[in-house]
Amino acid sequence: MYQVHVVENGVQAMQKIEQLLTTGFTKDDLYLFAHDKDRSEHLTENTGTGEIGMKEQGLLNSVGNMFKSRGDELRSKMSSLGLTQEEAEQYEKDLDKGKVVLVVSKDTNVTH
């Protein structure tokens, strides 16, 4: 089960995260995406949200992402959280526009 929220910037992302934390989610359930890798890492560090690693993606996908374009990598990571390929493509378009995508996932073992 997952939810996706598209926000304009880090300030809105933080507000949404605070709201989600009051409803029972933990920071380990929250994953932030930004198209620029440095911005994505900065947001993740500043908000304390989860990082997508081998637990969520599995070894082959984690290693494979090292050789993919940023868009392919982002779609792969979103898919590892339960989004369909079509949903991941749509949200990646939002990232292309400079927006931030927040995925809330309680079950990160689901892959499509």
Side-chain angles (χ1 to χ4, degrees):
M1 183 176 148
Y2 62 89
Q3 299 176 29
V4 181
H5 304 276
V6 179
V7 295
E8 296 294 325
N9 53 45
V11 173
Q12 286 183 2
M14 196 65 208
Q15 291 170 342
K16 190 63 178 176
I17 288 167
E18 289 173 8
Q19 178 186 11
L20 291 164
L21 292 174
T22 64
T23 64
F25 291 103
T26 68
K27 287 190 177 187
D28 289 338
D29 301 327
L30 308 175
Y31 300 87
L32 274 174
F33 294 91
H35 207 286
D36 178 72
K37 193 170 192 154
D38 290 336
R39 181 179 182 207
S40 184
E41 290 173 1
H42 179 74
L43 285 168
T44 297
E45 287 175 15
N46 287 333
T47 59
T49 53
E51 291 187 42
I52 298 175
M54 277 195 257
K55 173 186 165 204
E56 293 82 10
Q57 290 189 286
L59 177 62
L60 292 178
N61 283 337
S62 291
V63 172
N65 278 339
M66 294 182 347
F67 303 101
K68 292 180 180 177
S69 72
R70 181 68 176 154
D72 289 341
E73 176 187 357
L74 290 166
R75 288 188 299 277
S76 174
K77 287 182 175 185
M78 285 188 243
S79 293
S80 73
L81 294 173
L83 279 71
T84 66
Q85 187 64 33
E86 294 78 20
E87 289 170 323
E89 289 173 7
Q90 180 57 47
Y91 290 118
E92 202 259 329
K93 289 177 185 174
D94 288 324
L95 294 173
D96 286 341
K97 297 174 186 171
K99 297 185 181 194
V100 177
V101 174
L102 174 64
V103 178
V104 184
S105 181
K106 275 285 196 190
D107 182 10
T108 57
N109 295 322
V110 177
T111 56
H112 291 282

